[in-house]
Amino acid sequence: MNNSNQTPIKNTMGGVFIHVSDLKKSVEWYSNILGIEANLDKVKSPVYNIPVTGSTGLTLDDHAFDPTFIHRPSPNPIFNFLVDNIDAAYDFIKSKDIEIVREIERVGENFAWFNFKDPDGNVIMACTG
């Protein structure tokens, strides 16, 4: 590798930060859709790390120590959760009365996605790949 390509920034995602208004409510919501147990007694501001598999972390941040923070959710997905069966994932999210903001879109036989909102209006994608 020559010097022009060297960088101190690693080509690795360390974590995704989700900005939330009610940390306990968000921990409960994300834990619920991921099928994991949440001990709400251990939730303390300003951040909580949702236990996920893989090398990228998922951190919820309520900005308790930043009174100037203004939450502005993006109308576009900020990340995606991987799913094996898009129809089952869609039905699951619908059954939880979670707002779906983009219906299932399919490209070819094996690739599909849809978008939904968390309690703070953050848009998340469920995607087959």
Side-chain angles (χ1 to χ4, degrees), residues 25-128:
K25 178 180 176 182
S26 293
V27 167
E28 186 173 37
W29 189 88
Y30 277 91
S31 297
N32 186 6
I33 68 164
L34 293 174
I36 57 178
E37 293 289 322
N39 183 346
L40 297 181
D41 294 332
K42 292 188 177 188
V43 177
K44 305 283 186 233
S45 286
V47 298
Y48 182 85
N49 293 310
I50 297 287
V52 294
T53 58
S55 61
T56 302
L58 178 58
T59 301
L60 305 179
D61 186 347
D62 71 2
H63 293 269
F65 301 121
D66 185 2
T68 63
F69 178 77
I70 299 170
H71 183 250
R72 293 185 179 98
S74 170
N76 303 303
I78 54 176
F79 70 96
N80 70 310
F81 284 122
L82 295 177
V83 302
D84 291 326
N85 182 321
I86 199 72
D87 296 302
Y90 182 90
D91 291 344
F92 175 77
I93 293 297
K94 278 286 253 202
S95 76
K96 300 283 186 187
D97 292 324
I98 295 170
E99 182 182 356
I100 294 182
V101 295
R102 187 169 190 152
E103 294 295 322
I104 295 174
E105 299 211 16
R106 299 174 196 273
V107 176
E109 292 183 30
N110 299 316
F111 187 66
W113 69 90
F114 68 92
N115 300 345
F116 57 98
K117 284 186 180 180
D118 80 355
D120 285 286
N122 298 304
V123 177
I124 301 162
M125 177 185 285
C127 184
T128 58

